[in-house]
Amino acid sequence: MKRKVLLIYTGGTIGMMQDAAGVLCPVNFKKLQLAVPELNRLPVQLSHVSFATPIDSSNMNPDVWVKLVKLIQINYASYDGFVVLHGSDTMAYTASALSFMIANCTKPIILTGSQLPIGVIRTDGKENLITAIEIAANYTAHNTAVVPEVCIYFEYTLLRGNRSIKYNAAHFDAFQSPNFPALATAGVNIEYNNLIINKTPKKATQFYTQLDSGVGVLHFFPGISKQIVLAILQSECTVVIMRTFGSGNAPNQKWLIDALQDACSSNKILINVTQCIEGAVEQGKYETSSAFARMGIISAADMTLETAITKSMFLLANYPFAKFKTLFVSNHCGEVST
Ligand code: ASP
């Protein structure tokens, strides 16, 4: 039986071509299809749907995530798997957002793209596209998807979407999942590491189409001024994500501690995410973070920044405010080590 896969083309380098001035711009799906005739030879029943105007993923936003979720929702029963062609720049944000918005996922939703356009001879796009489709169509003998979750496939590696970051702007292996092993690696065979989250989901798949973007980021650096800190803490955001040093540390001058305390007391939610790529926040390990837990600042543990932002948007929009902290620290879909 041929599995049915829906290819959703949102844009990104994979489908870009150079204009007269040599600038890369998104093109329509037809041109992409012409460049990959192999698509017609795959042992899957492939359909496609394309954004009317493909976008550079730098223009991705919560409205587009909602549009994507609705698109997957209306096609969910009719397809065995989904491949989302997406620019690599914000792919980790989209993968994280979708992982929360499609709860109890039972089907593969594989995001992929490329560093070089598909029309370029040395493109990485063909392999990424073809293997992503193969993974999306891979089912067990018991009729369950081998990878029923939101993933990123790039350069021979399948990563959990909400554990991924784009870490390299120049190399084909552009993504990493520093705090969680790869779900699969593709060589002669695709080797799966048996790490999937949802082998036998107890609840039906649920699609969420609300996000609240009242989230800000406060990135600490030596010498950060009081004005910058206050501008962010006193802004409209309901959630402020602090990007801290090492295991969750920040300067502990009195003005800063007072400003953080005032923000917590005024019902803002503060979350501590480390600037380090690997490892986790441990509030209280050093004196410079010992006040944070007492103030009610939430540790994001080993979540990525992309996950902390999109999880906050998701929780703010879909759950009572009073439940935010409990839900934020708990594991929903493999995004945090427990
Ligand atoms: N700027 C492009 C995008 O994110 C880069 C890429 O696709 O890799 O859409």
Side-chain angles (χ1 to χ4, degrees), residues 201-323:
K202 290 178 194 78
K203 294 184 193 155
T205 305
Q206 214 176 335
F207 298 86
Y208 291 88
T209 54
Q210 305 286 326
L211 290 170
D212 180 335
S213 47
V215 179
V217 176
L218 170 56
H219 187 108
F220 286 112
F221 54 89
I224 191 168
S225 72
K226 187 173 176 179
Q227 287 92 320
I228 298 289
V229 171
L230 292 183
I232 296 171
L233 290 178
Q234 293 171 359
S235 69
E236 298 286 281
C237 318
T238 316
V239 169
V240 176
I241 295 173
M242 310 190 318
R243 292 214 82 189
T244 55
F245 310 124
S247 56
N249 310 305
N252 60 359
Q253 291 120 295
K254 187 170 181 315
W255 67 262
L256 178 59
I257 298 295
D258 289 347
L260 295 175
Q261 181 63 69
D262 288 349
C264 291
S265 311
S266 70
N267 244 352
K268 271 206 196 313
I269 295 168
L270 268 57
I271 298 172
N272 188 346
V273 176
T274 174
Q275 292 174 23
C276 291
I277 286 176
E278 198 168 335
V281 166
E282 287 178 70
Q283 295 190 141
K285 185 172 177 188
Y286 291 90
E287 195 196 348
T288 42
S289 69
S290 57
F292 294 165
R294 281 199 303 277
M295 286 182 205
I297 293 175
I298 307 171
S299 163
D302 65 353
M303 286 179 221
T304 63
L305 176 68
E306 291 85 338
T307 281
I309 290 173
T310 53
K311 191 174 184 179
S312 298
M313 290 179 173
F314 167 75
L315 294 177
L316 283 177
N318 295 291
Y319 290 92
F321 187 74
K323 289 199 167 165

Side-chain angles (χ1 to χ4, degrees), residues 123-132 153-157 186:
T123 186
D124 51 329
K126 277 194 187 184
E127 198 286 319
N128 287 350
L129 173 57
I130 290 166
T131 306
Y153 179 76
F154 229 87
E155 188 64 1
Y156 305 107
T157 310

Side-chain angles (χ1 to χ4, degrees), residues 39-76:
L39 289 179
N40 301 321
R41 290 177 26 219
L42 287 172
V44 295
Q45 221 178 304
L46 194 64
S47 309
H48 74 267
V49 46
S50 174
F51 280 13
T53 312
I55 56 169
D56 184 307
S57 79
S58 309
N59 287 320
M60 195 48 70
N61 61 57
D63 292 342
V64 186
W65 292 335
V66 168
K67 185 170 146 183
L68 259 177
V69 168
K70 287 183 176 166
L71 195 56
I72 294 172
Q73 181 176 17
I74 55 172
N75 288 290
Y76 199 73

Side-chain angles (χ1 to χ4, degrees), residues 33 40 42 93 117 135 142-144 156 171 179 184 198 212 284 293 320:
Q33 221 174 4
N40 301 321
L42 287 172
Y93 289 90
I135 292 169
H142 306 290
N143 211 21
T144 56
Y156 305 107
H171 291 174
N179 285 325
N198 218 5
D212 180 335

Side-chain angles (χ1 to χ4, degrees), residues 107-129:
K107 300 191 175 182
I109 299 175
I110 316 295
L111 280 76
T112 194
S114 67
Q115 293 282 61
L116 280 177
I118 212 130
V120 170
I121 292 177
R122 286 182 52 250
T123 186
D124 51 329
K126 277 194 187 184
E127 198 286 319
N128 287 350
L129 173 57

Side-chain angles (χ1 to χ4, degrees), residues 10-16 24 26 55-60 86-91 112-116 124 154 166 168-169 174-175:
T10 70
T13 296
I14 193 160
M16 288 186 184
L24 283 172
I55 56 169
D56 184 307
S57 79
S58 309
N59 287 320
M60 195 48 70
H86 192 291
S88 62
D89 288 349
T90 60
M91 191 182 288
T112 194
S114 67
Q115 293 282 61
L116 280 177
D124 51 329
F154 229 87
K166 182 173 180 183
N168 199 314
F175 288 87

